[in-house]
Amino acid sequence: MPKIGMEPIRRKALTDAAIEAIGAHGSMAVTMSDIAGRAGVSPALAHHYFGSKDRLITESIRALLRDLRSDAVAALSTARSPRTRLSAIVAASFSQKQFSDEVVAAWLAFYVDAQRAPEIRRLLTVYARRLHSNLMSGLRPLAGERDAQRIAEGAAAMIDGLYIRKALNADPARHDAAALVEDHIETQLLEIRGRTL
């Protein structure tokens, strides 16, 4: 008889194990047995909780999105100005947890799989919209709508691109990656200030 309250703990262990397995393999070519073994449960129990590997993978992406959102909310809670909001979003994107080797490799595998899996594509679209919205909330008061859109697109592309470089082992360190995005934002804002003087 299962212990009361174990389901959320085991589900989290399985989603964490899926991210770890995908990160280690660098692709979705993992088995339910591999994931279950990493989580310390039987494959039958993994199937019981998720029904299929695809559902477990989808829930793992949701877990990553929840973690990223939680990190962003925590970082934004200390921001006191539009500019510090931008720095908070950049810092959350490159936090130690978000920029770990296995998480970065998992994100890259999810992007590849999104080409064939509509649900994964939808979840990655949610991520992209949330990042854009968070960047715009800081940029709009500093740059106006049109320039804010352009700067946000560039910053988001840099964040995603630096993740790809990390996955390919051609990455700057985590703090260097954040500094590159910060430099892009600050350079663009300085150019706008120069235009308005």
Side-chain angles (χ1 to χ4, degrees):
M1 184 167 169
K3 294 180 184 174
I4 302 293
M6 285 304 292
E7 181 174 351
I9 294 166
R10 286 190 174 138
R11 288 176 71 89
K12 177 161 180 15
L14 282 160
T15 57
D16 289 349
I19 292 163
E20 181 185 320
I22 292 164
H25 284 84
S27 75
M28 301 291 207
V30 295
T31 65
M32 199 67 126
S33 293
D34 182 19
I35 295 168
R38 288 171 188 266
V41 301
S42 70
L45 193 61
H47 279 285
H48 169 74
Y49 285 133
F50 292 99
S52 70
K53 186 182 89 169
D54 285 346
R55 285 192 188 146
L56 174 53
I57 299 298
T58 300
E59 186 53 37
S60 299
I61 298 169
R62 286 193 181 104
L64 281 178
L65 288 170
R66 282 191 299 270
D67 283 349
L68 181 56
R69 183 176 187 279
S70 177
D71 287 353
V73 168
L76 287 168
S77 71
T78 63
R80 300 290 174 250
S81 70
R83 183 63 184 88
T84 57
R85 283 184 68 80
L86 292 168
S87 292
I89 293 302
V90 172
S93 296
F94 295 111
S95 71
Q96 189 166 356
K97 178 172 59 173
Q98 297 299 332
F99 211 53
S100 70
D101 290 342
E102 68 186 26
V103 169
V104 170
W107 274 112
L108 191 59
F110 295 149
Y111 269 101
V112 170
D113 212 51
Q115 303 304 306
R116 68 159 191 85
E119 181 60 14
I120 293 176
R121 185 168 46 251
R122 187 188 72 75
L123 290 171
L124 292 175
T125 300
V126 167
Y127 152 75
R129 287 182 182 155
R130 189 179 293 159
L131 176 60
H132 182 78
S133 175
N134 283 332
L135 290 167
M136 286 297 291
S137 73
L139 284 165
R140 197 175 279 115
L142 298 172
E145 185 69 28
R146 190 165 150 236
D147 283 324
Q149 291 282 354
R150 178 179 54 78
I151 298 167
E153 285 297 321
M158 287 185 74
I159 290 168
D160 290 344
L162 288 163
Y163 263 77
I164 292 169
R165 290 187 60 151
K166 169 85 171 171
L168 298 174
N169 295 317
D171 64 292
R174 179 172 55 89
H175 60 276
D176 292 340
L180 284 168
V181 179
E182 286 280 358
D183 183 59
H184 163 74
I185 292 169
E186 194 55 36
T187 300
Q188 296 299 312
L189 292 175
L190 283 170
E191 192 268 328
I192 291 166
R193 283 183 217 125
R195 255 193 274 147
T196 58
L197 291 176

